[in-house]
């Protein structure tokens, strides 16, 4: 299974069941995780657990669809759209791209790119 497919399968487990462990196991001890809403990156499998728990707790329900997935033995790029409800029950939809570096098998860097205003505006309207 490609690293991109392993990542997608682990994300589905987070979205459907809140189980972050399969995702945390994909990250190297020195891994770095970040997105535009974070002031500083998180690190390693523990950082991955915190990152993905925070992701899941933002939403009541969430499902991500992948439009384009490109990968090599060193890195993967995933274009996605996520939809669902916020924890308040408000409906949301936003899209972006995630870059995953995995030169030695484990993920060493995860960076998600999206317009935080798209989700922020929806969060604002939910309040």
């Amino acid at each position: 299974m490609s690293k991109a497919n392993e990542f997608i399968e682990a994300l589905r487990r987070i979205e459907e069941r809140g189980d972050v462990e399969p995702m945390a196991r994909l990250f190297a001890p020195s891994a770095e995780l970040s997105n535009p809403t974070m002031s500083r990156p998180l690190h390693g499998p523990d950082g991955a657990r915190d990152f993905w728990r925070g992701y899941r707790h933002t939403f009541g329900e969430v499902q991500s669809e992948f439009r384009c997935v490109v990968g090599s033995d060193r890195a993967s790029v995933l274009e996605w759209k996520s939809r669902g409800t916020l924890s308040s029950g408000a409906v949301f939809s936003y899209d972006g791209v995630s870059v995953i570096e995995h030169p030695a098998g484990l993920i060493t860097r995860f960076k998600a790119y999206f317009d935080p205003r798209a989700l922020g505006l929806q969060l604002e309207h939910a309040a």
Side-chain angles (χ1 to χ4, degrees):
M1 178 183 289
S2 75
K3 189 56 65 180
N5 287 337
E6 286 180 65
F7 179 89
I8 291 168
E9 182 58 34
L11 182 62
R12 292 203 195 298
R13 293 201 43 188
I14 292 168
E15 292 179 344
E16 293 171 3
R17 297 178 233 156
D19 182 5
V20 300
E21 288 309 312
M23 182 68 84
R25 286 193 293 270
L26 297 178
F27 285 82
S30 61
E32 180 178 295
L33 299 87
S34 63
N35 71 31
T37 67
M38 299 170 64
S39 59
R40 65 190 143 169
L42 296 173
H43 296 93
D46 287 338
R49 283 182 192 90
D50 291 344
F51 182 94
W52 293 107
R53 279 186 194 123
Y55 167 84
R56 186 59 188 96
H57 289 295
T58 300
F59 308 113
E61 293 182 12
V62 60
Q63 182 177 15
S64 297
E65 297 172 12
F66 295 88
R67 177 177 176 179
C68 183
V69 176
V70 179
S72 73
D73 59 345
R74 299 187 52 77
S76 301
V77 178
L78 299 87
E79 180 186 11
W80 47 264
K81 181 174 206 73
S82 295
R83 297 181 172 113
T85 58
L86 299 171
S87 51
S88 67
V91 174
F92 78 91
S93 175
Y94 74 119
D95 55 358
V97 173
S98 295
V99 177
I100 305 166
E101 295 176 19
H102 46 79
L106 292 175
I107 297 171
T108 57
R109 184 171 171 267
F110 168 85
K111 176 89 177 189
Y113 296 90
F114 58 90
D115 182 355
R117 294 175 299 175
L119 188 57
L121 290 173
Q122 292 165 5
L123 289 169
E124 193 174 280
H125 287 102

